[in-house]
Amino acid sequence: MVGGADSKKRALAGSGWRWLACVCLALIAGAAASQSADPPIMATIDPLTIADDDFARNRDPEVWRDLAVQQIVFTEASATWRLWRIANTAKPAGPLWVVTHDNENATFAAALTAVKSWGGVVMVVDTGPVDTRYDARFNAEVVGKPIDPNRNFLETRPVYVAQMLADLGDPARLIIALHTNAPDFDPNLSDCPALRPGRGAISVGLCNSRYQPRPAAKRQWPFDDEDSLMLLPHLNGQPRASAPCGRLLASGDYNLVFERVGYSDGSLSNYAAQHGLAYVNVETEERGSSPTGIALARDRLVDMIDKVMQRCGPVPGVALRVPRR
């Protein structure tokens, strides 16, 4: 963990964005209350009985010790949303972990490991019991085109935003979003040449006016893979070091991508930058939904989470040590 002097510096540097975060959350909550015709339905659920692929992979009662699960259901703008809220009752302090894409199954596994060790709350978007298809990435329970949950953090969707960030707290928690991505990147998206042209939209090898990469020098695991990285958003016109925790993570030998945020594309990273919230996106290459594939991606995510928490985490915790594969 960072020493006392660094902690004080972080507290002073972060006071501005914490104040802004509190103001924004109050406005969001008020807007949500005024626009929601029916209040969200919340129910406590036994995780060992949930008919859902993510939970079926984790039927061990020990996994759920000290974890409380709620299902949250609400409707906004002709879309019905179903969320899982997983809280560590023994360690309530900790980050707000966010999993927006139901088809990225290693992220759910990594979130469980992280919340058990570091505490806090996990918010998961549920798009259905079967999550091994690409379509599970989107919420299809809507009139019209299916919605990407990570493009719904908009001022026009205050109920969704309020529910996803309901546990942000005061002072605001660190938000850690978890993602997996397609291998390598589409060279049409980048100003940097691609050694192995791929189909992804994010990589530490990709660079353009929006994404500014800073690759690890030694490329040690888990950063031997260009798709394993930490993404930090910052406002357009501000230096990339202005990203909360940007300087602390830049002092390590990690794959980092700084995202310049102008207008919002509806993603949580853009929303966080525009509302002064401390946010880190941890992601790695998607390796499929087999037990082996999930484990490979989960272990990389967990190792990067550990590094983020050691440098940026506001709460003490047990280091997450996983086997290198």
Side-chain angles (χ1 to χ4, degrees):
M1 294 298 294
V2 180
D6 287 340
S7 297
K8 291 179 181 178
K9 290 179 181 178
R10 284 206 315 276
L12 291 172
S15 59
W17 62 257
R18 287 195 182 98
W19 174 86
L20 179 59
C22 293
V23 172
C24 291
L25 285 177
L27 295 174
I28 291 167
S34 65
Q35 292 194 22
S36 178
D38 298 306
I41 298 172
M42 302 184 183
T44 299
I45 307 292
D46 181 353
L48 300 179
T49 66
I50 297 173
D52 180 274
D53 282 352
D54 283 318
F55 290 88
R57 299 184 191 100
N58 295 277
R59 291 297 191 209
D60 183 356
E62 187 59 31
V63 170
W64 299 99
R65 185 184 299 275
D66 296 326
L67 299 183
V69 181
Q70 286 181 305
Q71 185 183 52
I72 303 171
V73 182
F74 62 93
T75 298
E76 180 179 40
S78 300
T80 297
W81 292 93
R82 303 180 188 278
L83 313 177
W84 300 114
R85 177 184 182 271
I86 305 171
N88 188 326
T89 57
K91 299 177 183 177
L96 177 60
W97 312 92
V98 179
V99 177
T100 54
H101 291 140
D102 204 356
N103 70 315
E104 298 176 357
N105 296 314
T107 61
F108 186 92
L112 284 184
T113 303
V115 77
K116 287 279 286 185
S117 178
W118 296 105
V121 177
V122 185
M123 291 301 299
V124 181
V125 177
D126 174 29
T127 59
V130 179
D131 58 21
T132 55
R133 296 174 292 103
Y134 181 76
D135 290 350
R137 183 181 188 85
F138 304 96
N139 179 13
E141 200 167 346
V142 58
V143 177
K145 184 179 178 181
I147 300 172
D148 182 338
N150 199 38
R151 292 296 182 270
N152 205 52
F153 289 90
L154 302 165
E155 306 298 340
T156 55
R157 298 294 181 263
V159 181
Y160 176 83
V161 174
Q163 290 303 314
M164 289 295 290
L165 302 183
D167 289 284
L168 196 54
D170 178 14
R173 302 175 191 259
L174 169 65
I175 301 172
I176 299 183
L178 303 176
H179 287 276
T180 56
N181 54 53
D184 303 309
F185 62 90
D186 180 349
N188 293 319
L189 301 176
S190 180
D191 296 327
C192 295
L195 296 178
R196 298 189 308 275
R199 52 189 176 84
I202 186 70
S203 163
V204 79
L206 178 152
C207 66
N208 52 36
S209 60
R210 177 178 178 180
Y211 295 120
Q212 311 130 57
R214 202 222 67 169
K218 296 182 180 178
R219 299 299 180 95
Q220 294 180 331
W221 187 93
F223 302 116
D224 55 331
D225 171 16
E226 291 196 344
D227 294 313
S228 295
L229 56 90
M230 305 161 183
L231 181 142
L232 303 161
H234 66 92
L235 288 177
N236 186 36
Q238 298 294 322
R240 65 187 192 181
S242 67
C245 202
R247 290 184 182 276
L248 291 169
L249 289 176
S251 65
D253 190 25
Y254 309 148
N255 283 345
L256 302 179
V257 172
F258 292 87
E259 179 186 14
R260 182 182 291 111
V261 177
Y263 68 90
S264 176
D265 63 0
S267 64
L268 181 54
S269 68
N270 285 203
Y271 186 91
Q274 293 183 335
H275 291 81
L277 303 175
Y279 169 99
V280 180
N281 171 19
V282 178
E283 60 179 280
T284 191
E285 181 181 330
E286 171 63 44
R287 297 175 186 272
S289 296
S290 69
T292 299
I294 289 175
L296 288 171
R298 178 204 61 210
D299 290 353
R300 286 178 181 266
L301 290 170
V302 166
D303 188 83
M304 288 187 284
I305 288 167
D306 190 26
K307 289 175 169 58
V308 171
M309 291 301 294
Q310 286 174 338
R311 290 178 181 268
C312 310
V315 295
V318 179
L320 308 177
R321 294 183 176 86
V322 296
R324 299 189 177 187
R325 298 173 182 266

